Structures are given as C-alpha cells and as structure tokens.
Amino acid sequence: MFRTLFLALPIALCNPASGQSLCDSLNAFFQWNSSGAPTVDFQNWSDSPDPLTTSYLWNFGDGSFSTMKNPAHTFAPGTYAVCLTVQWANCSSSFCDSVTVGLDACAGLSAFFTSWSPQPLTVEFF
C-alpha cells in the first residue's frame, strides 16, 4: 500500500544570501510594431522569477484588455497609453508606452518655394 503526501510550501520571496527580494527580479517590458496598420503586435519581454506562474494584464488605453502573453490588438486611429502589468506570487511590475496608430506622419506638412532667379528653376523631389 502506497500513500501520497502533498506538502504546501510557501514561496520564499527573499534571497537570504543577497538580502534582495525576488520581487526585484520581476520587470515588465514590451515592444510593439504596427507596420502602419491598425492592428498592433505586442512582444512581451518581461523578466520573472517563474514565467510559468506569471500572469499578464494588458490595458490598451481604449477600454480593451487582454491576459495573453503576446497579444495583437486593433485600434482606431489615435495615440494610446498602453500598459502591461505582470504579476507573480505577491509581486507586480508595470510598464507603459505611448502607441500611435493610423495617423499620417506627414499630415500638416507643406512646402512653399519662390524663385527670384531670371532663369527657370527646376526642382526635383525624391
């Protein structure tokens, strides 16, 4: 006859050797790429003591949220404050970045040329 014994051990959140909390190694960070499209791909580069038990909460700044590790999100044109909060054990870390989608970078730009030469002026744009 075999018996199985399960032990619930608390996670030590402090490293006695260094005196630092394991929470110090939890760092939220992401990068994003839109390629000019309204759908943005987010790449999560967060550090965690245990990625398998880490949870993710994305706030896209437009009222939408996600708990995926590396989500994609479709935005209306505009600029949004996107925030990622990572949680592990009793620790959390957040990172926010400004994401601009679908706005013409050249909007509002204009050029005006005047030639004061008696000869014709040729202008080339590349």
Side-chain angles (χ1 to χ4, degrees):
M1 174 187 269
F2 293 98
R3 291 189 182 178
T4 304
L5 176 65
F6 293 99
L7 296 175
L9 300 175
I11 297 173
L13 294 179
C14 183
N15 180 347
S18 68
Q20 288 188 323
S21 168
L22 289 178
C23 291
D24 293 341
S25 63
L26 182 67
N27 295 300
F29 183 72
F30 67 86
Q31 292 177 313
W32 59 275
N33 182 4
S34 72
S35 301
T39 299
V40 176
D41 295 313
F42 292 92
Q43 183 65 46
N44 185 339
W45 295 104
S46 301
D47 292 322
S48 172
D50 184 3
L52 295 177
T53 60
T54 299
S55 63
Y56 308 95
L57 178 61
W58 295 84
N59 179 341
F60 296 114
D62 63 356
S64 299
F65 300 87
S66 176
T67 57
M68 295 178 64
K69 183 175 182 180
N70 296 299
H73 183 69
T74 301
F75 292 91
T79 300
Y80 302 89
V82 176
C83 296
L84 167 63
T85 299
V86 294
Q87 293 183 320
W88 172 80
N90 291 323
C91 312
S92 68
S93 175
S94 295
F95 174 80
C96 298
D97 195 14
S98 180
V99 175
T100 300
V101 178
L103 298 179
D104 184 1
C106 297
L109 295 180
S110 62
F112 178 75
F113 299 94
T114 303
S115 172
W116 296 102
S117 170
Q119 299 177 7
L121 177 66
T122 302
V123 178
E124 294 181 35
F125 294 95
F126 299 94

